Amino acid sequence: MVDCLIIGHNDGHFPSDVEMVERMGVESGAFRDLALSYVQWDGTPMRALDIFNRLNVPDSHGDRRRYHNFEMLWPAIAYLGSFLNRHGFSFDYVNLFQQEKEELRQKLADKPLTVAVTTTLYVTAGPVMEVVRTVREHSPETTIVVGGPFVQNYRKQLEKKDLSALFSMIGADIYVDSNEGELTLARVLSELREGRQPRGVPNAIYRDGDEFVFNATELESNPLDENPVDYGAFSSLGNFVSLRTAKSCPYSCAFCGFPARAGKYVYLSPQQVEADLDRIKESGSVTNLTFLDDTFNVPKGRFKKLLRMMIDKQYGFRWNCFYRSDHGDQEVIDLMAEAGCEGVFLGIESGSDKMLEAMNKTARRADYLAAIPALKKNGIVTHANLIVGFPGETEETVAETRSLLEEARPDFFRAQLWYADPITPVWEKRDELGIQGSMFTWSHNTMDAKTAIGIVDDLFATVREPHWLPQTGFELWSVFYLMRRGMTLEQVKGAVGAFNGAVAENIGRGKPAEISAGALAKLREAYQFTPVGA
């Protein structure tokens, strides 16, 4: 019997997700944000890659493949499985719940001791509940453990009574309340092996009859250097691997709660990163890497050593990362290109120095104007991520952001409505800034959510270059995924542009209408390419 069967990402049933968000109101911030990422075709909401799958042509082997945004070993599985294996527990995994339901059923037939549900990208309970229902149906005696950011976020937002009600609705047996969680899960497994409830396990919340018991909490730290991923423990890595070389972030941006959740910023040495890359190279299949570190190029000296090491080792990987424009220079960018970097995610947030200062960003407009052209000149794809509506935002600061896009010309961009999160540093100034409401429903001294939503829609509809990067079911790494599958960068841009054109027809209509014949024709033309196999 396997000690722990780990479930990776559940992409959910997108039409059901749309229906759920629509119930919040078609003018709500949540729905208007979602509406920029899908079109209606034959009455069904479809995202950019859903359209690919409907229009795709056979590859060089004659197969009609399915494209999706997570064709990689789920990072949480890699780290959690390696940790459990190192501590004497057996594990198995299902990488993608929706795509591997039959494999899951077969593995549940062997009655694993536990199923661990990861929640890296979930903001609602729906995907977790679907996994729990499936496990209960096929292996009712298996203990279900849920951990990750979803649990952490709601633990901070809800009182115990309301949290218990949420946990009861989800239906799992044990919840892990930790910003990491690997050690807590291992301790839970030790107790369950002996037939005991996890009564003394810190950070565990477990069902006892009709009630939930909240154990004491303690800071959990599982150092990266002591817990490398054992890539040989996984049956097939495929072409794409995501990895981290650091934990947390050394900055305190006023809109971001990540450092508060993740703890102290720590990172691996260049020698330790080299050992990780050597193990990945030994797999023989991996061609593309995504570095998940929020600040991969900080500190600059370490980053240069990493780049020179990658150049010297000649791994041949193509890779992408998050990049801070104020911690780079021409030498760094030249080294990145030589080391195989093909794209960067830039958390620009605003083109206004006034707003960047209010956000407690260390970068300024001049840093972006210098970095973006230099990156593009070296063949590195650039994506600019923006926030609209942060306290202090005005029509004038938005105009500065628009002019930055026009002047710097990144390849892709996305503007997101500010999310009023009580965990973020700006919340401490809510009285001074006049912040009322929370999440996607808010107002403050200089703007309200309705105005900001209109600005986001206008940027989407009127900015043609850079290209808007679809949000749901499509990320920057999707660009490189499609390039590995046979598209050129210009073809990806053309396909994204055609998709956005179809979406833009619905701006101001409320609920998206059926895709027009003209937009569908453009999509058919733009989505044509010669696919290659995996």
Side-chain angles (χ1 to χ4, degrees):
M1 179 174 66
V2 171
D3 290 317
C4 187
L5 174 61
I6 308 170
I7 310 296
H9 185 63
N10 177 10
D11 197 29
H13 180 248
F14 185 64
S16 297
D17 294 341
V18 171
E19 183 179 350
M20 179 186 68
V21 177
E22 187 180 339
R23 287 198 291 268
M24 300 179 187
V26 295
E27 295 302 319
S28 68
F31 184 80
R32 294 281 290 274
D33 183 65
L34 182 65
L36 296 181
S37 62
Y38 76 92
V39 297
Q40 290 275 128
W41 189 358
D42 291 340
T44 301
M46 304 191 76
R47 299 161 294 181
L49 286 180
D50 298 328
I51 300 290
F52 267 77
N53 291 327
R54 185 156 176 174
L55 295 177
N56 67 9
V57 297
D59 64 18
S60 55
H61 302 293
D63 298 322
R64 191 181 296 275
R65 65 173 297 118
R66 173 179 166 79
Y67 299 91
H68 60 83
N69 201 38
F70 300 112
E71 197 170 304
M72 66 182 79
L73 175 64
W74 195 241
I77 292 177
Y79 288 96
L80 192 55
S82 296
F83 186 95
L84 294 179
N85 192 43
R86 189 171 294 109
H87 287 75
F89 299 99
S90 60
F91 79 95
D92 200 353
Y93 65 96
V94 170
N95 196 43
L96 298 172
F97 175 80
Q98 292 294 337
Q99 287 76 25
E100 301 171 37
K101 287 184 177 179
E102 183 55 40
E103 291 90 333
L104 175 59
R105 292 188 191 99
Q106 293 173 7
K107 292 178 179 184
L108 289 173
D110 294 330
K111 309 303 178 187
L113 176 65
T114 64
V115 164
V117 183
T118 65
T119 64
T120 307
L121 298 181
Y122 304 149
V123 294
T124 64
V128 187
M129 293 171 65
E130 184 180 12
V131 175
V132 170
R133 284 196 302 268
T134 301
V135 175
R136 291 281 186 238
E137 178 184 352
H138 296 283
S139 185
E141 62 269 52
T142 292
T143 299
I144 303 174
V145 184
V146 175
F150 176 85
V151 176
Q152 276 268 287
N153 291 344
Y154 279 95
R155 179 72 171 90
K156 289 180 169 67
Q157 294 177 33
L158 301 178
E159 299 294 331
K160 286 185 179 180
K161 179 181 178 181
D162 295 328
L163 193 62
S164 294
L166 174 65
F167 288 165
S168 293
M169 181 181 72
I170 291 172
D173 303 293
I174 300 172
Y175 297 85
V176 174
D177 175 23
S178 173
N179 64 316
E180 296 193 7
E182 295 97 321
L183 180 59
T184 301
L185 178 60
R187 288 170 170 171
V188 166
L189 289 175
S190 293
E191 296 299 306
L192 294 177
R193 267 183 173 181
E194 299 301 321
R196 298 190 294 259
Q197 288 273 46
R199 288 187 173 85
V201 176
N203 305 324
I205 302 169
Y206 65 95
R207 185 192 297 274
D208 187 6
D210 295 330
E211 304 291 332
F212 279 94
V213 177
F214 290 71
N215 286 351
T217 60
E218 69 175 32
L219 181 65
E220 178 177 330
S221 177
N222 307 305
L224 283 173
D225 58 345
E226 298 175 12
N227 296 283
V229 173
D230 179 8
Y231 290 100
F234 300 91
S235 57
S236 176
L237 293 181
N239 299 145
F240 305 91
V241 162
S242 297
L243 69 159
R244 56 182 178 177
T245 74
K247 289 184 179 181
S248 193
C249 174
Y251 299 97
S252 298
C253 296
F255 56 82
C256 181
F258 176 63
R261 296 182 178 100
K264 182 181 178 181
Y265 180 58
V266 293
Y267 51 82
L268 296 175
S269 69
Q271 293 76 21
Q272 292 162 333
V273 177
E274 180 180 0
D276 262 357
L277 296 182
D278 286 346
R279 285 188 287 269
I280 293 172
K281 185 66 175 178
E282 288 172 3
S283 74
S285 65
V286 178
T287 59
N288 279 70
L289 304 175
T290 294
F291 290 98
L292 298 172
D293 309 11
D294 277 47
T295 50
F296 188 43
N297 62 314
V298 178
K300 186 192 294 186
R302 168 187 178 262
F303 188 52
K304 287 183 178 181
K305 290 178 181 178
L306 288 176
L307 296 173
R308 292 189 176 106
M309 176 270 293
M310 294 168 74
I311 293 168
D312 290 342
K313 295 297 291 277
Q314 297 185 339
Y315 290 114
F317 298 129
R318 303 294 290 165
W319 54 273
N320 61 90
C321 68
F322 295 83
Y323 180 81
R324 293 190 72 96
S325 297
D326 57 327
H327 281 71
D329 52 35
Q330 189 61 55
E331 179 189 14
V332 165
I333 292 171
D334 291 342
L335 287 170
M336 290 169 67
E338 188 176 355
C341 180
E342 63 179 344
V344 292
F345 184 107
L346 305 170
I348 286 177
E349 321 311 354
S350 176
S352 165
D353 282 343
K354 173 186 172 183
M355 291 305 301
L356 293 171
E357 183 177 358
M359 293 173 173
N360 201 32
K361 294 279 291 184
T362 57
R364 292 295 181 265
R365 180 185 179 94
D367 296 314
Y368 302 135
L369 289 174
I372 293 172
L375 289 161
K376 292 185 65 177
K377 186 176 180 180
N378 277 269
I380 297 173
V381 176
T382 54
H383 167 72
N385 217 63
L386 307 171
I387 294 173
V388 174
F390 186 82
E393 188 87 274
T394 63
E395 294 286 350
E396 289 73 22
T397 60
V398 171
E400 291 182 81
T401 297
R402 180 187 288 271
S403 71
L404 175 69
L405 294 175
E406 294 170 349
E407 189 172 347
R409 301 289 290 273
D411 295 287
F412 300 96
F413 87 107
R414 182 190 295 153
Q416 294 175 287
L417 177 67
W418 174 55
Y419 184 80
D421 186 345
I423 297 175
T424 57
V426 72
W427 205 253
E428 297 175 6
K429 297 182 178 181
R430 59 188 179 278
D431 293 336
E432 172 190 342
L433 299 170
I435 298 174
Q436 301 290 325
S438 64
M439 298 185 286
F440 284 129
T441 304
W442 50 261
S443 64
H444 51 67
N445 290 340
T446 61
M447 190 170 285
D448 58 29
K450 182 177 181 181
T451 301
I453 290 169
I455 292 170
V456 171
D457 284 352
D458 184 62
L459 289 170
F460 176 90
T462 60
V463 176
R464 286 290 171 260
E465 289 190 19
H467 294 274
W468 180 281
L469 196 70
Q471 180 169 5
T472 304
F474 201 100
E475 294 292 343
L476 180 60
W477 59 74
S478 304
V479 174
F480 312 118
Y481 166 66
L482 291 173
M483 290 172 67
R484 297 295 87 78
R485 296 293 174 247
M487 298 188 83
T488 66
L489 176 60
E490 290 308 310
Q491 284 176 318
V492 174
K493 288 182 177 180
V496 166
F499 178 78
N500 291 337
V503 175
E505 291 184 347
N506 291 297
I507 294 292
R509 292 184 183 179
K511 183 178 178 180
E514 184 75 7
I515 187 172
S516 70
L520 184 56
K522 290 178 181 178
L523 280 168
R524 290 185 185 279
E525 181 180 0
Y527 277 30
Q528 296 304 307
F529 68 102
T530 303
V532 297

